[in-house]
């Protein structure tokens, strides 16, 4: 019997309409458009505004478009995995909220939190449910409302992040196209350099934690940068070697968009020219779990059936990894 693989059969992205430009940030913190662009590659990012608007809103918009594209109903979905670091609430899971909002009454699911690598962790997880043969339609959504945990008085972090996300549909395939391999890693010691200090069970919210701004992203940028450059490049090279792929065999790299310099270093280590690298950090900044599906969405028309694609990411945890897939349509 032919092996069942999990193939991405549709992709869709969504970003909120409000845009926060570098120029606007110049009026909020001591920074310049030139510094931001040269150090990160970012020109603008989108911000989700409005009362009670959480990450599920991004997921709902991305998934509704995905269902329309594929011509199926929410009732056809077996499972929704939501990769997010900014869930609507501590509980229930944002995946459950999304299921309710879109009317996916036959679906079950849950959230996966692996910070910026979350979409890869969720994609690898979702693919196993398809490969098992038990599930036929699994949605993996990666979305974040990073503006909900950013201090817009901290120039070291507020320039980087944005809101947005995307979703893919996984279905069984037996023609050899789909998710071929994944290498996923964590090192919890890295939590010291990138985390949210309060709001969890170790340090629940109090007046003092709010006053001390402990509910915002804390990042030691330079240290994270060093680990990101090394690990994202290494894991991307590792998955190529393990699958006997040369640079010329790869059609596209879909990298997490945290910093253009990290992406350039990864592409260089893989021997890829910049024309093969998906890059949209300029428009969206770092949307955490949203970056990779937003890339796949924007490059959808350029990818061809059978194309060898590498996805790779690095993020808080630390977490990092790479996925090798053959595009299925
Ligand atoms: O996706 C999750 C994982 N996260 C990442 O991958 C992020 C990794 N880190 C980075 O991308 C970079 O470290 C940053 C973009 C966050 C910072 O860039 P950097 O080149 O590492 O800057 P730096 O922190 O070393 O700061 C250099 C200088 C400092 O000034 P002094 O001490 O040299 O006088 C900063 O105070 O730049 C200053 N600076 C700024 N200047 C203008 C920091 N932020 C800004 C700013 N505008 N927004």
């Amino acid at each position: 019997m032919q092996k069942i693989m999990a193939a991405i059969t549709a992709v869709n992205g969504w970003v909120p309409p409000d845009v926060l430009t570098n120029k606007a940030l110049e009026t909020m913190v001591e920074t310049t458009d030139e510094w931001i662009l040269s150090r990160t590659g970012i020109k603008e990012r989108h911000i989700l505004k409005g009362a009670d608007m959480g990450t599920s809103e991004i997921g709902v918009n991305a998934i509704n478009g995905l269902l329309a594209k594929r011509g199926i109903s929410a009732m056809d979905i077996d499972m929704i995995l939501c990769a997010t670091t900014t869930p609507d609430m501590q509980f229930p899971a944002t995946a459950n909220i999304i299921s309710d909002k879109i009317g996916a009454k036959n679906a079950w699911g849950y959230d996966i939190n692996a910070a910026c690598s979350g979409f890869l962790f969720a994609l690898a997880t979702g693919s196993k449910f398809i490969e098992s043969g038990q599930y036929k339609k699994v949605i993996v959504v990666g979305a974040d409302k990073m503006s909900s945990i950013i201090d817009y008085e901290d120039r070291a972090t507020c320039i980087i992040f944005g809101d947005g996300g995307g979703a893919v549909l996984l279905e069984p395939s037996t023609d050899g196209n789909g998710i071929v391999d994944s290498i996923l890693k964590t090192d919890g010691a890295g939590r010291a350099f990138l985390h949210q200090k309060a709001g969890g069970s170790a340090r629940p919210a109090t007046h003092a934690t709010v006053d001390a701004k402990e509910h915002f992203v804390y990042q030691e940028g330079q240290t994270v940068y060093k680990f990101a450059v090394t690990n994202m490049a290494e894991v991307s090279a590792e998955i190529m070697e393990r699958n006997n792929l040369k640079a010329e065999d790869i059609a596209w790299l879909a990298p997490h968009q945290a910093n253009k310099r990290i992406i350039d270093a990864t592409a260089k280590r893989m021997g890829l020219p910049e024309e093969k690298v998906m890059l949209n950090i300029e428009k969206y900044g770092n949307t955490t779990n949203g970056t990779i599906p937003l890339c796949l969405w924007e490059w959808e028309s350029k990818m061809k059936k059978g194309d060898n694609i590498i996805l790779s990411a690095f993020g808080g945890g630390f977490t990092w990894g790479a996925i090798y897939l053959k595009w299925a349509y």
Side-chain angles (χ1 to χ4, degrees):
M1 208 179 77
Q2 188 100 37
K3 183 175 176 276
I4 300 174
M5 293 172 79
I8 294 177
T9 56
V11 58
N12 195 48
W14 190 80
V15 289
D18 282 288
V19 173
L20 177 61
T21 62
N22 288 353
K23 280 283 170 206
L25 281 166
E26 283 182 356
T27 68
M28 296 159 66
V29 289
E30 202 183 323
T31 191
T32 60
D33 174 39
E34 197 278 327
W35 192 95
I36 301 171
L37 193 58
S38 64
R39 303 310 289 165
T40 68
I42 302 167
K43 277 190 185 157
E44 58 189 34
R45 66 290 290 138
H46 290 245
I47 303 293
L48 180 61
K49 293 188 177 165
D52 297 324
M53 288 290 193
T55 294
S56 68
E57 198 60 29
I58 300 167
V60 164
N61 280 292
I63 295 174
N64 280 337
L66 181 84
L67 297 175
K69 263 178 153 175
R70 184 77 181 93
I72 57 172
S73 122
M75 296 295 278
D76 298 326
I77 302 305
D78 300 316
M79 186 178 192
I80 296 179
L81 291 173
C82 179
T84 188
T85 306
T86 51
D88 280 24
M89 303 172 182
Q90 281 273 32
F91 77 92
T94 302
N96 301 162
I97 299 171
I98 292 173
S99 295
D100 178 52
K101 286 186 175 177
I102 65 169
K105 294 202 183 302
N106 297 316
W108 70 291
Y110 51 88
D111 289 359
I112 289 182
N113 180 357
C116 295
S117 311
F119 183 76
L120 295 192
F121 282 37
L123 192 62
T125 305
S127 71
K128 301 300 168 198
F129 284 97
I130 296 284
E131 287 166 19
S132 76
Q134 199 181 345
Y135 298 95
K136 306 291 180 215
K137 287 186 170 52
V138 174
I139 286 181
V140 179
V141 52
D144 272 297
K145 182 186 173 185
M146 291 306 292
S147 61
S148 65
I149 55 168
I150 292 300
D151 177 4
Y152 285 94
E153 292 181 347
D154 175 15
R155 69 175 183 173
T157 51
C158 74
I159 56 133
I160 303 171
F161 294 97
D163 302 340
V168 298
L169 178 66
L170 291 177
E171 294 186 81
S173 120
T174 49
D175 68 357
N177 291 318
I179 292 165
V180 180
D181 194 14
S182 60
I183 303 177
L184 302 168
K185 308 200 182 208
T186 64
D187 177 4
R191 70 189 185 281
F193 310 108
L194 180 52
H195 58 260
Q196 187 178 352
K197 291 190 183 305
S201 57
R203 204 164 156 72
T206 63
H207 286 290
T209 62
V210 172
D211 290 345
K213 295 188 163 193
E214 290 181 355
H215 298 270
F216 294 127
V217 169
Y218 170 83
Q219 175 168 256
E220 293 180 27
Q222 270 190 18
T223 308
V224 177
Y225 181 87
K226 280 180 203 146
F227 278 97
V229 161
T230 312
N231 289 314
M232 202 164 127
E234 278 310 309
V235 78
S236 306
E238 192 183 337
I239 205 157
M240 284 173 71
E241 280 154 27
R242 190 154 103 173
N243 291 280
N244 298 314
L245 291 169
K246 303 268 171 288
E248 56 270 27
D249 302 323
I250 293 169
W252 296 102
L253 168 68
H256 171 53
Q257 315 274 310
N259 188 318
K260 185 177 182 299
R261 290 181 290 143
I262 298 172
I263 296 170
D264 290 346
T266 302
K268 191 170 171 215
R269 175 74 177 82
M270 296 170 76
L272 292 184
E274 63 180 24
E275 309 86 71
K276 289 188 174 185
V277 181
M278 299 181 189
L279 190 76
N280 57 16
I281 191 171
E282 190 179 294
K283 292 188 287 183
Y284 306 129
N286 182 350
T287 55
T288 303
N289 288 277
T291 60
I292 292 176
L294 280 172
C295 280
L296 295 177
W297 168 55
E298 289 207 330
W299 266 261
E300 185 186 22
S301 63
K302 298 200 178 95
M303 293 185 283
K304 294 191 295 292
K305 189 170 182 171
D307 272 358
N308 290 318
I309 319 268
I310 304 288
L311 319 180
S312 76
F314 181 90
F318 292 139
T319 56
W320 67 103
I323 287 182
Y324 163 40
L325 58 86
K326 290 177 93 66
W327 197 247
Y329 62 99

